[in-house]
Amino acid sequence: MADIDMIPRSYRDGVRLRRTARQAACALALVVLATAAGHATLRWSSAAMERKTTLLRSAASAAQSDLQRATSEREAALREQQRAGLLGALRREGELAGLARAIDSALPADTWLTTLALRRRAQVAPSGAALPSGGAAQDSFATGNAQGDVLLLDSHVELSGQAASYEGMTDFLANLGRIPGLVNVQLQSSSANAEAQAIDFRATLSLTRRKESE
């Protein structure tokens, strides 16, 4: 009798089936939980990335605005600087006083001037325009207009004088040529004046604000 199984086979199969169903349900529940957790993590990551993207866009927009404002301020400062330089150039402040000091320092004791004429000219030209060959030295200043035109200024000096000797005359012209800002010093004519017992001469030169290195 001990070898007789009193538990029906159908019951045993049912127990096995229920156990398998419970295991499958647990596994399915774990899969569902893992899927839900992954979906929640993905949504959280997406939201975090969206927030970072929004912050980056705001920072980029602010940086672009700052750059545009800085560019506008720099352009305004440049235009103001150009206007100030243009105004100073048109006024040519100190030019006559500087010329007088230069001539006074260059004149030898035996040389003197009888006449002096200063002619100034101003003209607007396109940027990069070729200057006439052989013309007077010209200073250029940016006008700041949209076309990029420049203001060309030149100061041409004609002077006449007398010297006790040709050496005094040539020394005077050589001294003028060594003074910064005085260029194109040229003797136009010279002749002996028997009545004044001196050498009459006439010379020309140009004034410029350009540096010697230019």
Side-chain angles (χ1 to χ4, degrees):
M1 297 296 290
D3 295 334
I4 299 174
D5 189 1
M6 300 300 291
I7 300 174
R9 183 180 180 87
S10 60
Y11 176 78
R12 190 178 290 114
D13 290 340
V15 171
R16 187 182 302 111
L17 182 60
R18 286 192 295 274
R19 185 183 300 116
T20 302
R22 283 197 301 269
Q23 291 175 351
C26 290
L28 181 60
L30 290 176
V31 171
V32 172
L33 289 176
T35 303
H39 183 66
T41 302
L42 182 60
R43 291 185 60 186
W44 181 85
S45 299
S46 299
M49 291 180 63
E50 184 65 26
R51 288 193 297 271
K52 289 182 179 180
T53 301
T54 302
L55 291 175
L56 288 175
R57 287 175 179 170
S58 299
S61 178
Q64 183 67 23
S65 299
D66 292 341
L67 180 61
Q68 291 176 350
R69 182 168 57 254
T71 301
S72 299
E73 292 175 354
R74 184 168 60 252
E75 291 176 351
L78 180 60
R79 287 193 297 270
E80 184 62 28
Q81 183 180 359
Q82 289 176 338
R83 283 194 292 267
L86 192 61
L87 181 60
L90 287 172
R91 290 175 176 174
R92 307 195 196 194
E93 298 172 350
E95 186 178 67
L96 289 177
L99 176 61
R101 288 193 298 268
I103 291 177
D104 185 63
S105 65
L107 274 173
D110 61 349
T111 304
W112 58 94
L113 294 183
T114 55
T115 61
L116 186 148
L118 172 61
R119 293 182 174 85
R120 292 168 167 172
R121 183 179 60 175
Q123 60 179 335
V124 176
S127 178
L131 302 180
S133 59
Q138 292 181 315
D139 292 317
S140 62
F141 300 88
T143 60
N145 62 12
Q147 291 76 22
D149 294 338
V150 294
L151 177 67
L152 299 178
L153 302 176
D154 67 74
S155 297
H156 183 69
V157 179
E158 297 179 359
L159 51 86
S160 300
Q162 293 180 326
S165 64
Y166 281 103
E167 182 179 3
M169 177 192 67
T170 56
D171 287 346
F172 170 56
L173 298 180
N175 293 338
L176 287 178
R178 287 190 289 266
I179 296 177
L182 305 186
V183 296
N184 297 339
V185 180
Q186 296 179 355
L187 176 66
Q188 300 298 323
S189 64
S190 64
S191 60
N193 187 330
E195 183 179 352
Q197 296 184 350
I199 306 299
D200 293 334
F201 66 90
R202 187 172 65 85
T204 59
L205 60 92
S206 295
L207 305 181
T208 180
R209 295 186 181 185
R210 289 180 294 185
K211 298 179 181 179
E212 291 180 336
S213 60
E214 297 176 334

